[in-house]
Amino acid sequence: MTKIIKILLGLLLSPLILYSQNAAGNLYTYKAPHYYESIDLLEDGSFVYYCKSEFLKSEIEGNWQLRNDTILVLDSKPQRSKIVVFESRKRAKRNTFQIRSTDNRMINYHLYLITPTEDTLEFKDQFDKTVVSGNFSSFYVVDTKGQYSPTYEIVGSKANFFEILIEGKRVFENEYWKYYGEYIIPLGTDGKYSNYKLVKTPTTL
């Protein structure tokens, strides 16, 4: 009889236990027409990020930590470089920027070249190679998804040929989001804080 009572109590309590475990997760979401974004901060320090728009969908896993109770720091796992650059010197009077994906596919992109006087020259809708004259101290690339690469500082003063590999998937690399407990302000792919919130969402079975 005692065994039967224990079984019945277990059946009655198990949904409550499952619910409490599920509700302990930190799922933050934002929904809009044709757009959904979420991040699930798991108790073991890992996260699952998901984003879906009308044309794109991505899912990223990684590790998170909270600093000063206000800064959510995200790193993808496995970690990948957003941009890889090989500088060299060619027998040419002009600079060549060859930009491809990390798997060496030719891509469309926008190139932003920064001069030593901090002027920025914009070259939109480029494909594979951009050939330009002038002296430049740094540059960054924006792909067709709107993802910004980090600004790359040119090392060689005589380099005029740049082989550039861009990671097509979004990468979290020591990325800081604003954390407010009940909601989060994420960084967009342009490196700027979004004008919307990911709100903590109670999860139920």
Side-chain angles (χ1 to χ4, degrees), residues 131-150:
V131 181
V132 296
S133 299
N135 295 319
F136 306 101
S137 59
S138 57
F139 62 85
Y140 63 93
V141 180
V142 182
D143 66 15
T144 53
K145 300 175 185 175
Q147 295 188 130
Y148 283 58
S149 78

Side-chain angles (χ1 to χ4, degrees), residues 24-50:
N26 292 308
L27 178 66
Y28 294 80
T29 63
Y30 171 76
K31 295 179 183 179
H34 309 296
Y35 186 81
Y36 175 83
E37 184 176 356
S38 70
I39 186 166
D40 196 0
L41 305 178
L42 304 176
E43 293 182 353
D44 63 356
S46 65
F47 72 82
V48 179
Y49 172 83
Y50 182 78

Side-chain angles (χ1 to χ4, degrees), residues 23 25 33-34 56 69 128 165 184 195 204:
H34 309 296
L56 299 172
D69 295 325
D128 193 29
L165 300 177
I184 296 170
N195 58 4
T204 58

Side-chain angles (χ1 to χ4, degrees), residues 18-203:
L18 289 170
Y19 174 79
S20 64
Q21 289 173 340
N22 204 21
N26 292 308
L27 178 66
Y28 294 80
T29 63
Y30 171 76
K31 295 179 183 179
H34 309 296
Y35 186 81
Y36 175 83
E37 184 176 356
S38 70
I39 186 166
D40 196 0
L41 305 178
L42 304 176
E43 293 182 353
D44 63 356
S46 65
F47 72 82
V48 179
Y49 172 83
Y50 182 78
C51 182
K52 182 179 181 181
S53 65
E54 194 170 2
F55 303 105
L56 299 172
K57 182 172 68 172
S58 62
E59 184 172 325
I60 303 165
E61 296 182 0
N63 297 316
W64 68 274
Q65 57 178 298
L66 196 60
R67 295 182 186 170
N68 301 324
D69 295 325
T70 59
I71 301 172
L72 181 65
V73 185
L74 304 175
D75 287 287
S76 301
K77 185 180 180 181
Q79 187 57 269
R80 302 183 302 274
S81 296
K82 295 181 181 180
I83 183 171
V84 178
V85 181
F86 301 96
E87 301 183 15
S88 61
R89 175 74 182 175
K90 303 286 185 182
R91 289 187 177 182
K93 294 183 178 180
R94 299 204 291 171
N95 302 291
T96 298
F97 296 83
Q98 178 182 282
I99 301 175
R100 298 185 176 182
S101 64
T102 50
D103 56 1
N104 205 34
R105 288 185 298 106
M106 292 184 287
I107 60 173
N108 292 99
Y109 59 88
H110 307 320
L111 175 64
Y112 296 83
L113 299 174
I114 302 169
T115 69
T117 57
E118 298 188 353
D119 293 321
T120 301
L121 304 182
E122 180 183 62
F123 298 86
K124 285 194 169 184
D125 302 318
Q126 303 295 296
F127 182 73
D128 193 29
K129 293 180 181 179
T130 300
V131 181
V132 296
S133 299
N135 295 319
F136 306 101
S137 59
S138 57
F139 62 85
Y140 63 93
V141 180
V142 182
D143 66 15
T144 53
K145 300 175 185 175
Q147 295 188 130
Y148 283 58
S149 78
T151 299
Y152 176 82
E153 302 289 337
I154 295 173
V155 177
S157 59
K158 295 184 179 181
N160 66 354
F161 192 90
F162 303 88
E163 297 177 72
I164 304 158
L165 300 177
I166 298 295
E167 175 58 55
K169 297 179 180 179
R170 183 168 183 180
V171 175
F172 295 113
E173 186 177 3
N174 200 33
E175 190 162 304
Y176 287 17
W177 288 15
K178 296 179 180 180
Y179 179 83
Y180 296 94
E182 293 304 310
Y183 66 90
I184 296 170
I185 305 294
L187 276 178
T189 54
D190 58 357
K192 298 178 182 178
Y193 285 104
S194 303
N195 58 4
Y196 58 85
K197 305 172 183 177
L198 302 181
V199 179
K200 190 172 184 179
T201 306
T203 55

